[in-house]
Amino acid sequence: MSEPSPTDKPKRKANAAFMKPVQPDETLAAVVGNQPLARTELTKKVWEYIRSHNLQDPENKTFIKADDALKKVFDGKDRVSMFEMTKLISGHVS
């Protein structure tokens, strides 16, 4: 049996907190649907929505331009960074 090489890394386990389903509120459900989702899936659905509606700022891709549905999720802001977006979305789940 050979020794593991220094480049072999143990597989990461998924963080249970991210995998626990959360319930989107009515505002966020307009974007991602009203089914409970894991936070990772919720983020994936928001990004699918952003891409399908061409809402990523072409000049600076770290910013999202809000349409009417996302503006409600983003507390009325027209434009947010992807980092701020995550914080704002977390206020719409329980």
Side-chain angles (χ1 to χ4, degrees):
M1 197 151 120
S2 65
E3 289 185 38
S5 74
T7 57
D8 289 343
K9 291 184 179 178
K11 287 190 176 183
R12 286 180 56 186
K13 289 185 179 179
N15 185 332
F18 286 120
M19 301 310 290
K20 181 182 175 201
V22 292
Q23 179 64 51
D25 69 5
E26 201 173 296
T27 305
L28 184 56
V31 176
V32 300
N34 63 359
Q35 296 299 313
L37 296 163
R39 286 183 187 271
T40 53
E41 287 299 311
L42 182 74
T43 302
K44 196 182 294 186
K45 285 205 178 260
V46 171
W47 273 106
E48 286 172 8
Y49 181 88
I50 289 166
R51 287 188 185 105
S52 69
H53 290 82
N54 200 24
L55 298 174
Q56 200 167 6
D57 188 330
E59 305 284 315
N60 185 345
K61 293 192 180 285
T62 62
F63 283 91
I64 311 305
K65 299 179 293 180
D67 62 2
D68 290 338
L70 280 180
K71 205 178 277 193
K72 293 174 185 171
V73 175
F74 296 164
D75 295 338
K77 296 180 179 183
D78 291 326
R79 187 173 181 254
V80 298
S81 75
M82 63 175 73
F83 307 107
E84 184 180 8
M85 175 186 78
T86 306
K87 185 175 115 183
L88 292 168
I89 287 172
S90 68
H92 291 278
V93 296
S94 56

